[in-house]
Amino acid sequence: MMKNKPDEEDYWNSSKFKAFTFDDEDDEFSRLKESKQAVNSIRSLVEEEDDEDEVEKVSWSGEPVGSISWSVRETAASNQKTQREHAFPKINASSPSVSRSHSGYSLSSLFKGKTKPGNFQPFTDSLSESSVKLYAPELRKPKSESKDYISDWSPEETIHRMQQGKVVSLERFRSLQDKLLLLDFSVRAHDGNIITAVLIHLKRTLSKEVLFRELESRQTALRHFIHYLTEIRDHRLLLELLRALGRTEDAALLQYKEHLNIEDESKRRDFLKSCLNLPFSPEESAHVQDHYTLLERQIIIEATDRLAEHAGKVEIFQKFPRRASILNMPLITTLYYCCFYHYNEPEGTYSSPLNIRHTFRISEKQYFVTVLAARAKLKAWSDLDALFTSRNWLGFTKKKSPLSFHRVVDILQKNSAPTQVLQEYVGLVDDADLRIGLAQKHKCHDIVINTYRDLKDRQLLLGYRGKVERGSAEERKINDLLDSPHIRWKN
């Protein structure tokens, strides 16, 4: 509610503060006197005030401390020039005092830019120190550090200072002689980081022809430069460097590796075909040729099998759906895939396992292992029997394998082969002790009984009778052998 004029006059007459008017003298002495009285009054009020919760926290402008407008005003006031610091706003004598415990600013912080809560400074101090800056001046760097950076150090001294971790400038070395001295001294320092830093400077300031020519006689720096270009994947410049040095095979291998960045299979196949004319060594050229041939064949097989799978007319694709594409798979994985889905196809087809074996010169042992794993996965035991059966020139058949039969038994057991199948291949193990161990492990009782019979070891046969099931065919067989008069036992 607004007060009328008589009430307002009573208020000012009854107050112990004197109100400011615009008719006062505007000289510096009167302002200073009024400021002293105001500050002394505030100090007395703060010291007499006990209940801080009842004191409204305000600023010199009468606005609550911490408000947005207060922050803007005080920040702007602290940034004013020296000649305006004498014209502080007049203090409203009716405003309550500022609580020191709750305010983040002290008087000294408002007038001098300092932040020491609770430390009030007389108003005269602020006027006398009006020239104090409100921020810390930027410190200059020591002359010694500036000297380290700009002094005319020699190439050797520059490398030495780089070893010490000091800042140096390589840009001032403009002549080719100085740049090469930098490179030579960096190599002598045996510091890879310094060598790389100098090489980066030379790469930026020298032509490729000059740089390649000088690196050719500096093998240590050359190795660092090749490694650097490899790390940043600047294959274009690295390829130019290798060609300039006459390292054609390295350049060919680098160009061949670009196929890894080609995602489209047809484009990758065409790129590999173009790599066939690169100057590879004979061995590497054969590998590139195989890679191209394999990818070309994978593209054909993938397209054919995808159509067959979608058509739903091929039983094996319905029974065992394909889990992944064959494209870009390794050679052995491709062979396994063809043994799994195309085992009985004639050798003239691209997907025939025999065709793949002959085309890529796969060893007999590797071929047998792959076929065994694929057909055992399908439980195609008849295919395995035919795989290991060989016929001699007299027409007799015999089980033959390029890998040991105990390894064959392990592969069959991992694919859950029945006991009858395991027993057939356990019996083909040459070593008697190993054969007995495998037979006992896989419960091939007939193998154990026949082996003990061939050894004519009655005690072992008696001991094994206690391990077979009572009343079983194995127990009856053991009893018949023990009662046979035609066997001459050793014990």
Side-chain angles (χ1 to χ4, degrees):
M1 184 175 180
M2 300 294 294
K3 295 181 181 181
N4 55 29
K5 187 172 182 180
D7 294 338
E8 185 178 358
E9 291 177 353
D10 293 340
Y11 171 78
W12 288 114
N13 292 332
S14 62
S15 173
K16 61 181 178 180
F17 298 113
K18 181 180 178 181
F20 285 100
T21 64
F22 292 99
D23 298 329
D24 293 338
E25 295 179 356
D26 196 18
D27 58 279
E28 183 176 350
F29 177 78
S30 62
R31 292 199 308 271
L32 178 60
K33 182 177 179 181
E34 292 168 356
S35 299
K36 282 185 177 181
Q37 292 175 355
V39 172
N40 292 334
S41 300
I42 290 176
R43 182 183 294 115
S44 63
L45 285 176
V46 172
E47 292 174 353
E48 292 174 1
E49 187 64 51
D50 294 330
D51 190 2
E52 294 182 346
D53 295 335
E54 297 178 0
V55 179
E56 182 183 3
K57 292 175 283 188
V58 297
S59 68
W60 291 100
S61 60
E63 296 173 350
V65 177
S67 66
I68 296 178
S69 59
W70 178 84
S71 302
V72 173
R73 286 176 181 270
E74 298 304 330
T75 303
S78 64
N79 293 330
Q80 290 179 350
K81 296 183 178 180
T82 304
Q83 59 268 26
R84 299 188 61 184
E85 291 184 354
H86 299 286
F88 290 103
K90 295 185 178 182
I91 305 172
N92 189 345
S94 64
S95 300
S97 61
V98 180
S99 174
R100 289 180 294 176
S101 62
H102 288 77
S103 175
Y105 285 80
S106 64
L107 292 180
S108 60
S109 69
L110 294 176
F111 298 137
K112 296 176 63 179
K114 299 180 180 180
T115 56
K116 295 182 179 180
N119 183 15
F120 288 83
Q121 184 180 10
F123 213 66
T124 54
D125 294 344
S126 66
L127 292 175
S128 61
E129 296 181 9
S130 60
S131 61
V132 177
K133 291 185 177 181
L134 299 180
Y135 56 90
E138 182 181 359
L139 298 178
R140 293 182 179 180
K141 295 182 178 180
K143 291 184 177 180
S144 59
E145 183 176 345
S146 178
K147 183 179 179 181
D148 288 345
Y149 184 76
I150 65 175
S151 293
D152 190 18
W153 302 108
S154 66
E156 183 177 8
E157 292 171 331
T158 300
I159 297 300
H160 180 65
R161 303 186 76 78
M162 291 177 70
Q163 286 183 285
Q164 296 175 340
K166 296 184 178 180
V167 178
V168 297
S169 174
L170 301 180
E171 299 295 335
R172 64 182 187 81
F173 295 102
R174 298 184 180 275
S175 67
L176 177 60
Q177 181 181 2
D178 287 343
K179 293 176 181 178
L180 296 179
L181 285 175
L182 278 175
L183 182 59
D184 292 338
F185 285 124
S186 67
V187 172
R188 295 178 190 176
H190 303 290
D191 191 320
N193 293 331
I194 297 178
I195 296 174
T196 303
V198 174
L199 286 171
I200 293 174
H201 174 65
L202 299 185
K203 173 178 176 288
R204 188 172 62 251
T205 58
L206 292 178
S207 65
K208 292 183 292 186
E209 293 77 10
V210 175
L211 179 60
F212 295 167
R213 184 190 68 221
E214 298 299 335
L215 288 177
E216 187 175 5
S217 60
R218 296 169 171 83
Q219 291 299 311
T220 301
L222 177 61
R223 289 194 297 270
H224 278 270
F225 192 57
I226 292 176
H227 180 73
Y228 166 71
L229 294 179
T230 304
E231 288 294 319
I232 66 173
R233 298 183 179 181
D234 191 348
H235 293 162
R236 182 187 59 80
L237 184 59
L238 181 56
L239 191 61
E240 293 182 16
L241 172 62
L242 295 175
R243 288 173 177 171
L245 297 175
R247 297 167 60 169
T248 55
E249 292 186 10
D250 293 338
L253 286 174
L254 180 64
Q255 186 172 348
Y256 165 73
K257 288 175 62 177
E258 287 295 321
H259 79 272
L260 298 173
N261 301 323
I262 304 175
E263 296 183 359
D264 184 79
E265 288 75 17
S266 298
K267 294 181 179 179
R268 180 180 291 193
R269 177 196 58 195
D270 296 339
F271 177 81
L272 290 174
K273 185 177 182 179
S274 67
C275 291
L276 297 177
N277 298 323
L278 295 177
F280 290 107
S281 65
E283 182 180 1
E284 292 168 346
S285 180
H287 287 311
V288 176
Q289 178 66 57
D290 287 344
H291 189 178
Y292 165 72
T293 304
L294 178 63
L295 180 57
E296 185 180 37
R297 181 164 301 196
Q298 287 174 344
I299 293 175
I300 297 173
I301 296 174
E302 176 66 22
T304 304
D305 289 356
R306 188 187 298 116
L307 291 176
E309 187 176 22
H310 290 168
K313 297 180 179 180
V314 181
E315 181 182 358
I316 190 170
F317 288 125
Q318 300 301 314
K319 192 174 181 180
F320 301 98
R322 299 189 313 153
R323 296 183 179 181
S325 170
I326 195 178
L327 294 174
N328 299 312
M329 291 296 178
L331 174 59
I332 298 303
T333 305
T334 305
L335 176 61
Y336 181 92
Y337 175 92
C338 292
C339 290
F340 195 93
Y341 289 107
H342 304 281
Y343 183 69
N344 293 318
E345 289 188 4
E347 188 174 348
T349 60
Y350 279 146
S351 54
S352 168
L354 290 175
N355 189 308
I356 292 177
R357 175 189 176 183
H358 294 151
T359 301
F360 297 100
R361 303 169 300 281
I362 299 175
S363 66
E364 183 183 16
K365 185 175 182 179
Q366 182 65 71
Y367 177 76
F368 266 68
V369 171
T370 307
V371 173
L372 176 62
R375 304 315 292 174
K377 187 73 173 179
L378 288 171
K379 316 298 182 187
W381 312 122
S382 59
D383 291 339
L384 296 182
D385 185 71
L387 177 67
F388 291 105
T389 301
S390 64
R391 188 181 299 273
N392 61 15
W393 64 278
L394 294 176
F396 296 102
T397 59
K398 181 182 180 181
K399 297 290 185 184
K400 185 179 179 181
S401 172
L403 67 159
S404 60
F405 279 103
H406 78 272
R407 178 77 179 106
V408 173
V409 173
D410 290 339
I411 296 175
L412 294 176
Q413 188 272 331
K414 290 179 180 178
N415 288 278
S416 305
T419 304
Q420 294 80 3
V421 176
L422 287 175
Q423 183 171 280
E424 181 178 359
Y425 291 97
V426 169
L428 297 174
V429 176
D430 295 330
D431 186 85
D433 294 335
L434 181 59
R435 184 168 65 250
I436 292 173
L438 289 173
Q440 291 178 344
K441 177 181 178 181
H442 301 299
K443 298 182 179 180
C444 300
H445 301 298
D446 285 344
I447 300 295
V448 178
I449 295 171
N450 294 335
T451 303
Y452 289 159
R453 179 200 62 190
D454 296 338
L455 293 175
K456 296 181 173 57
D457 196 324
R458 182 182 179 87
Q459 297 301 321
L460 291 176
L461 197 57
L462 285 171
Y464 193 72
R465 185 174 60 177
K467 297 180 181 179
V468 299
E469 186 178 354
R470 285 186 174 275
S472 62
E474 290 80 9
E475 186 183 34
R476 292 193 298 269
K477 182 176 181 178
I478 293 175
N479 291 333
D480 293 340
L481 290 174
L482 292 174
D483 296 337
S484 176
H486 303 290
I487 302 176
R488 301 180 63 177
W489 303 101
K490 293 190 304 184
N491 47 29

